[in-house]
Amino acid sequence: MTAPSDDFPLTGRLASIDFGSVRIGIAVCDPDRILASPLEVRAAEQWKQDGDYYRELTKSERISAFVVGLPIHLDGGESEKSTQAREFASWLSQTTGKPVRLFDERFTTADANNRMRAAGYSRAGKKKRIDAIAALVILESFIEACRYRGEIVGIPSNEPIPVKGESID
């Protein structure tokens, strides 16, 4: 696998984040990046005050890097939600000292809903876990895309936002 220019590690545990305005879903994988599992859901309203939580998560789960879901329109354009996810990703990298990649999260919530329906989750159960399952889908998709391409995919958190009307690759 090709090493990226932003020091994103080729091995080690990853945590993925499904960043939302109400809740933040978190999932983690093993150091070999084979198995991923949902971890938890946190309230999102005061995420800027959660630095201690993310630093402790990095330490306790031995996280080597983060993947943050980037909401992209079907046409490839970005939105206000994309800007918020980018802001969170940049903050997360600065707060934890770990590299962060943004990864296209189109269809992750729909996939998470399908998985939960198939597993027989009740409506209340879905509401509590949907964001963690969406983070799991993001992480699994990221890992799979890296394997398929033979390189680290996604966008480094410090990369500039594309000009309005441009799509991301």
Side-chain angles (χ1 to χ4, degrees):
M1 191 174 295
T2 307
S5 61
D6 65 345
D7 294 331
F8 198 95
L10 297 174
T11 61
R13 289 189 78 164
L14 301 176
S16 67
I17 309 287
D18 179 41
F19 180 78
S21 51
V22 177
R23 290 176 302 277
I24 297 172
I26 304 168
V28 295
C29 71
D30 67 295
D32 295 324
R33 300 181 183 173
I34 295 169
L35 297 174
S37 42
L39 185 66
E40 69 179 312
V41 176
R42 294 190 54 79
E45 65 188 46
Q46 296 193 4
W47 59 266
K48 288 182 182 178
Q49 282 77 49
D50 272 352
D52 288 341
Y53 167 80
Y54 288 101
R55 283 187 290 274
E56 180 56 34
L57 173 71
T58 301
K59 191 185 316 178
S60 67
E61 295 290 334
R62 299 177 323 278
I63 302 300
S64 60
F66 288 89
V67 177
V68 174
L70 181 64
I72 303 291
H73 292 297
L74 290 177
D75 67 2
E78 294 194 21
S79 65
E80 178 61 31
K81 281 289 205 201
S82 307
T83 302
Q84 292 167 6
R86 284 177 175 277
E87 180 184 353
F88 175 80
S90 179
W91 172 87
L92 184 63
S93 181
Q94 291 170 6
T95 299
T96 63
K98 299 295 180 182
V100 177
R101 281 287 171 126
L102 292 147
F103 187 70
D104 184 348
E105 68 169 26
R106 280 179 274 196
F107 309 114
T108 55
T109 301
D111 189 356
N113 272 314
N114 290 338
R115 289 178 186 208
M116 293 180 83
R117 189 177 313 108
Y121 275 83
S122 67
R123 236 177 167 199
K126 275 191 208 177
K127 189 172 182 173
K128 284 182 181 178
R129 300 286 294 162
I130 188 69
D131 300 287
I133 303 297
L136 169 69
V137 173
I138 291 166
L139 187 52
E140 288 177 341
S141 299
F142 176 82
I143 292 168
E144 178 82 17
C146 289
R147 272 195 206 115
Y148 180 76
R149 288 189 166 177
E151 64 185 13
I152 298 297
V153 298
I155 304 166
S157 62
N158 59 359
E159 191 169 294
I161 298 172
V163 176
K164 192 144 184 106
E166 272 184 15
S167 65
I168 65 164
D169 293 327

